Amino acid sequence: MELRHLRYFIAVAETGSLTVAAERRLHTSQPSLSRQIKDLEDQVGADLLIRSARGITLTEAGKVFFEHARMVLSQVDIAIEAARRAAQPSKQRFSLGFLTGQEMTWLPEAMHILRAELPNIEVTVSSDYSPDLAESLVRGKLDLAFLRAEPDYDLAYHPVTHESLIVLMPSDHPLTSRKTIRPRDLVGEPFIGIGKKATVLQAVIGDYLTRSGVEMTPGQLVDNPAMVMSLVASTRGVALIPTYVENLMPWSVVSRPLAGEVPTIDLVVGYSKTNTSPILKMFLAHLDDLIARVSKLQK
């Protein structure tokens, strides 16, 4: 088993599609990717994926393997970074973290600022769950991260945008005929809930449903946006999720805006209060410019 097998598997699991993973994430052909996944399943000795017309979902074995595969690649990245630091201790480095999926919006403009000020800087980038990013900031593994304002960590936070919640549903769901969705329209639909890992998002959704007078009992609780989309497609359920997930949607899932007073969730940049990095100070000084650049691109 090679690291590429793990990277290929994670790409498929996170996108919920062999085609999307091959074309947009891995830049390879779908037949080649299918062979690599089949080789991986042969080596593991268990089916990891369920292939259907509505996309890819993970088997129980696949769910377990997914979490461990992510940890393995994370440890590899840490080992590589440690080796690079040892080999070139004097080189300027900056470590950025992103809530998975947000890098597609914020990374290009963040890199523009860093490269403009420090052309020779080495930047490492990682994506993860928001609480894990907060933990990495506290431990000094990251200098700055785009995440949620996690209440259990003593970090400094600056809001960068307010994201509206949207409704995810299968692409052939009857509700797709509507331009906007009311909370009561979701009653009786299989509901995919957000797990405890994403505590901030879970709280925002819970408060919104309570204010709307709607009671929704989740059939499943998941934390990863790719798994949310996978379950929406495979169980024909619905989910409430921030708008950035639209960057990751396979063809089998569509979104619709909510009607009325739409709930929002903050995306922030976070960093350790004890981090004295001059690069961090420089980046924060350009934060307003970064927000303006991204806002302009999204119009």
Side-chain angles (χ1 to χ4, degrees), residues 2 4 11 28 39 73 78 90 94 107 113 124 126 136 141-142 151 155 190 203 208 217 221 238 242:
E2 301 179 17
R4 60 184 170 85
T28 187
D39 289 343
L73 291 185
I78 291 172
S90 61
F94 194 66
L107 178 58
I113 289 174
T124 60
S126 60
S136 293
K141 295 179 180 178
L142 292 175
L155 297 168
Y208 171 66
T217 302
L221 293 173
V238 298

Side-chain angles (χ1 to χ4, degrees), residues 138-200:
V138 169
R139 295 190 177 188
K141 295 179 180 178
L142 292 175
D143 291 301
L144 181 139
F146 291 73
L147 72 170
R148 308 300 179 197
E150 298 294 338
D152 296 331
Y153 294 88
D154 185 23
L155 297 168
Y157 296 114
H158 294 290
V160 294
T161 191
H162 308 288
E163 298 178 88
S164 299
L165 295 194
I166 54 174
V167 182
L168 290 189
M169 65 189 77
S171 56
D172 59 349
H173 195 284
L175 289 176
T176 58
S177 63
R178 304 188 183 185
K179 292 183 178 180
T180 59
I181 306 297
R182 301 165 300 180
R184 64 176 176 270
D185 295 333
L186 304 177
V187 175
E189 299 289 339
F191 185 57
I192 312 302
I194 301 300
K196 293 182 179 179
K197 189 88 172 178
T199 55
V200 180

Side-chain angles (χ1 to χ4, degrees), residues 45-261:
D47 291 335
L48 303 176
L49 305 176
I50 300 173
R51 300 154 177 84
S52 70
R54 291 192 293 269
I56 297 293
T57 57
L58 298 180
T59 64
E60 289 303 315
K63 293 175 184 178
V64 173
F65 189 81
F66 176 77
E67 296 300 331
H68 285 280
R70 290 179 74 252
M71 286 190 291
V72 169
L73 291 185
S74 175
Q75 290 300 315
V76 170
D77 291 339
I78 291 172
I80 291 172
E81 177 59 19
R84 286 175 177 171
R85 290 180 185 273
Q88 296 177 309
S90 61
K91 191 169 184 178
Q92 289 184 301
R93 291 178 174 83
F94 194 66
S95 298
L96 279 172
F98 294 89
L99 183 64
T100 301
Q102 292 287 1
E103 66 273 12
M104 300 177 69
T105 300
W106 294 94
L107 178 58
E109 299 307 317
M111 290 301 298
H112 175 84
I113 289 174
L114 290 168
R115 297 295 188 203
E117 295 291 326
L118 301 165
N120 298 318
I121 189 175
E122 181 176 315
V123 180
T124 60
V125 178
S126 60
S127 65
D128 213 329
Y129 296 113
S130 183
D132 293 336
L133 292 172
E135 181 73 22
S136 293
L137 289 169
V138 169
R139 295 190 177 188
K141 295 179 180 178
L142 292 175
D143 291 301
L144 181 139
F146 291 73
L147 72 170
R148 308 300 179 197
E150 298 294 338
D152 296 331
Y153 294 88
D154 185 23
L155 297 168
Y157 296 114
H158 294 290
V160 294
T161 191
H162 308 288
E163 298 178 88
S164 299
L165 295 194
I166 54 174
V167 182
L168 290 189
M169 65 189 77
S171 56
D172 59 349
H173 195 284
L175 289 176
T176 58
S177 63
R178 304 188 183 185
K179 292 183 178 180
T180 59
I181 306 297
R182 301 165 300 180
R184 64 176 176 270
D185 295 333
L186 304 177
V187 175
E189 299 289 339
F191 185 57
I192 312 302
I194 301 300
K196 293 182 179 179
K197 189 88 172 178
T199 55
V200 180
L201 177 56
Q202 186 185 62
V204 168
I205 293 173
D207 289 345
Y208 171 66
L209 293 176
T210 299
R211 285 188 285 105
S212 302
V214 171
E215 184 175 343
M216 302 285 289
T217 302
Q220 294 89 14
L221 293 173
V222 292
D223 302 298
N224 185 288
M227 285 302 300
V228 172
M229 290 183 287
S230 178
L231 284 172
V232 166
S234 61
T235 68
R236 301 195 56 73
V238 298
L240 296 174
I241 205 79
T243 51
Y244 81 92
V245 173
E246 291 179 320
N247 294 329
L248 307 172
M249 288 195 310
W251 64 268
S252 56
V253 174
V254 299
S255 66
R256 291 292 182 271
L258 287 161
E261 186 178 348

